[in-house]
Amino acid sequence: MLLLNVNTIKLEDYRDGAPYAILSHRWVDGKEFLYEHITSAMTENEKVSHPGYAKVLGACKQARLDGHRYMWIDTCCINKSSSAELSEAINSMFNYYKKAQICYAYLAGIPNTIDPYVAEEFARHEWFSRGWTLQELIAPTEVVFFTDRESHTQDDGWDGDTEHEWEGRKSSMCERLSSITGIDEIILSHSRDIRSISVAKRMSWASKRVTTRIEDRAYCLIGLFDVNMPMLYGEGDKAFIRLQEEILKDSNDESLFLWTDDDADPKTMTGLLATSPDVFKCSGHYFPYYDWEPRVPFFKTNQGLQITLPLRRVEDDIYTASRACT
């Protein structure tokens, strides 16, 4: 795992569990300071002139103020030119955020004068609508929200005219964050293990979130379901199918099949696996029901999903199948 030394702003390879802070932010195309920049021979003046460098410096400065020596920032600490390194990082991302000492969530563009507990500007910020930030909100023990504050001073030797303004902490805003995201307060407060939440409900949290690449709608949920899968950019909707196939390998939660596609033709045949998190938007109230009756395991075969369900005849050749959920 590569970590950014907050004093030298250089990458160091640490695999011995060194404590670190972590950044959650919204990428801006063409304006991020990347791994290639960190590892290049750019002069300090060249770095300072880069539009994304100020964000890196600001995050490192805050980490230093909070007593942290290392920082993990996805844009700087992942060599995306290596498919193996990218795949490892994406599969490990949830744990990266979970193990961090603290997570700084940077919500660019919000006025520092607002009250995040009531202001619509806070609730409507795009950080709450992105796919990757879902796990970045859930996984860390603590998330501190920051926005910009204009300043014309240079403190601690860092160039730039933007400092960061503290807006609130996840630990004290669970009710507010739950109302914005639909995520249960007991999950945000880490009062209950996320594995106790039904598959359908976890999917519903992602139903209104978006990603730049369609495959990332599946890849950003890997950690939420504690599964692993290779990255195959270009596969499109198949990524979400593969995610569900990985989930059902280790779970007998039949709420995975409880979704509704409002745009589907009622006369068209479809499978039990969804093609997008969108169809789980109304599935947040389902949870699995476990009784003492033995159930036949369901699994994926080369001919599709094999599952045994109780059937009840409705009329003629129409039947309803019962699933172990309420």
Side-chain angles (χ1 to χ4, degrees), residues 23-56:
L23 179 66
S24 174
H25 63 120
R26 172 75 177 97
W27 281 43
V28 180
D29 290 341
K31 295 185 178 181
E32 294 301 330
F33 200 74
L34 306 173
Y35 173 88
E36 300 84 72
H37 300 126
I38 285 285
T39 56
S40 73
M42 292 174 68
T43 66
E44 189 61 28
N45 285 337
E46 289 173 330
K47 292 178 180 178
V48 169
S49 65
H50 191 285
Y53 194 51
K55 179 163 58 175
V56 174

Side-chain angles (χ1 to χ4, degrees), residues 33-225:
F33 200 74
L34 306 173
Y35 173 88
E36 300 84 72
H37 300 126
I38 285 285
T39 56
S40 73
M42 292 174 68
T43 66
E44 189 61 28
N45 285 337
E46 289 173 330
K47 292 178 180 178
V48 169
S49 65
H50 191 285
Y53 194 51
K55 179 163 58 175
V56 174
L57 292 184
C60 289
K61 177 181 178 180
Q62 188 61 50
R64 285 198 313 277
L65 291 173
D66 290 341
H68 303 295
R69 184 179 178 185
Y70 295 105
M71 185 87 198
W72 192 88
I73 304 176
D74 54 357
T75 47
C76 300
C77 298
I78 304 175
N79 179 9
K80 294 180 176 62
S81 65
S82 167
S83 58
E85 186 170 330
L86 177 61
S87 181
E88 179 184 356
I90 291 179
N91 276 277
S92 305
M93 195 87 62
F94 189 90
N95 285 328
Y96 287 174
Y97 280 88
K98 183 178 181 179
K99 293 177 181 179
Q101 300 295 299
I102 195 167
C103 174
Y104 302 129
Y106 175 50
L107 278 58
I110 291 184
N112 66 323
T113 54
I114 68 163
D115 181 353
Y117 288 88
V118 296
E120 281 301 306
E121 294 97 322
F122 181 79
R124 290 198 304 263
H125 193 275
E126 62 179 344
W127 189 88
F128 291 107
S129 65
R130 304 302 297 183
W132 289 105
T133 56
L134 175 60
Q135 65 178 358
E136 295 166 13
L137 173 62
I138 292 174
T141 303
E142 183 64 284
V143 178
V144 182
F145 295 94
F146 289 89
T147 187
D148 296 329
R149 172 167 61 89
E150 292 303 314
S151 171
H152 299 285
T153 63
Q154 291 184 348
D155 183 33
D156 202 24
W158 298 111
D159 294 328
D161 60 0
T162 300
E163 295 184 357
H164 299 293
E165 184 79 3
W166 177 79
E167 287 290 335
R169 290 177 173 268
K170 180 174 81 167
S171 58
S172 60
M173 299 178 66
C174 286
E175 182 177 358
R176 170 64 165 159
L177 294 172
S178 178
S179 69
I180 295 171
T181 64
I183 303 169
D184 301 54
E185 288 185 54
I186 54 175
I187 296 301
L188 293 172
S189 64
H190 292 250
S191 300
R192 181 181 295 179
D193 194 308
I194 193 171
R195 292 172 296 183
S196 67
I197 303 298
S198 74
V199 169
K201 174 170 278 194
R202 279 179 274 175
M203 287 292 189
S204 73
W205 298 339
S207 63
K208 296 180 181 178
R209 292 178 177 254
V210 296
T211 57
T212 302
R213 303 194 65 167
I214 190 170
E215 296 88 353
D216 284 336
R217 296 206 71 188
Y219 301 159
C220 72
L221 301 178
I222 287 174
L224 235 60
F225 296 100

Side-chain angles (χ1 to χ4, degrees), residues 8-26:
T8 65
I9 318 299
K10 294 184 182 297
L11 292 174
E12 298 181 13
D13 192 354
Y14 272 86
R15 300 184 181 276
D16 59 354
Y20 58 92
I22 201 165
L23 179 66
S24 174
H25 63 120
R26 172 75 177 97

Side-chain angles (χ1 to χ4, degrees), residues 70 84 100 103 150 207 231 235 242 271 287 293 303 309 317:
Y70 295 105
C103 174
E150 292 303 314
S207 63
M231 308 299 104
E235 64 177 326
R242 286 201 299 123
F287 60 91
E293 295 296 324
Q303 294 184 338
L309 297 170
D317 58 349

Side-chain angles (χ1 to χ4, degrees), residues 257-305:
F257 312 124
L258 296 178
W259 49 269
T260 304
D261 186 352
D262 296 329
D263 298 323
D265 185 340
K267 297 180 181 179
T268 301
M269 299 291 289
T270 185
L272 280 174
L273 299 182
T275 58
S276 165
D278 295 342
V279 297
F280 287 92
K281 62 181 180 295
C282 297
S283 302
H285 61 285
Y286 293 119
F287 60 91
Y289 169 74
Y290 300 107
D291 55 25
W292 297 105
E293 295 296 324
R295 295 185 179 274
V296 179
F298 51 87
F299 52 90
K300 180 72 164 41
T301 73
N302 62 349
Q303 294 184 338
L305 182 66

